[in-house]
Amino acid sequence: MLATVTGTYKNGQIILDEELPVKSENAKVIVTLVEDTVENQEKPKRTSGLLKGAFVGEYWFSKEFNDPLDDLKDYM
C-alpha cells in the first residue's frame, strides 16, 4: 500500500501533519523533499495572442491536411 502524508523537516526530525494510515510499528517510508522556494515562487503571467513553442516562425503542411482519411470512412 502506498500513502502520502505531509510533514515538515526541522532540527533533524520529520514532524507529520497527520497520523499514518498504517497501524504497523515497522513501516517502510520514502521521503521526498520539497523546497519552500518552489511553493512561494510567482507563476509567470500569461500573455494572450502569443504562441510559443514548435510553431513559432514559418512552418509547412500539406494542402490535403484537412481532407478526410480513407481509413476512417467507415466511422464517418
Side-chain angles (χ1 to χ4, degrees), residues 36-53:
D36 287 336
T37 57
V38 173
E39 295 174 0
N40 296 332
Q41 286 181 352
E42 290 185 28
K43 293 181 181 179
K45 294 182 181 178
R46 299 182 80 181
T47 54
S48 61
L50 296 176
L51 179 63
K52 296 181 181 179

Side-chain angles (χ1 to χ4, degrees), residues 41-68:
Q41 286 181 352
E42 290 185 28
K43 293 181 181 179
K45 294 182 181 178
R46 299 182 80 181
T47 54
S48 61
L50 296 176
L51 179 63
K52 296 181 181 179
F55 295 109
V56 173
E58 294 186 28
Y59 57 93
W60 176 91
F61 60 92
S62 173
K63 291 180 181 178
E64 297 87 22
F65 181 79
N66 289 325
D67 289 352

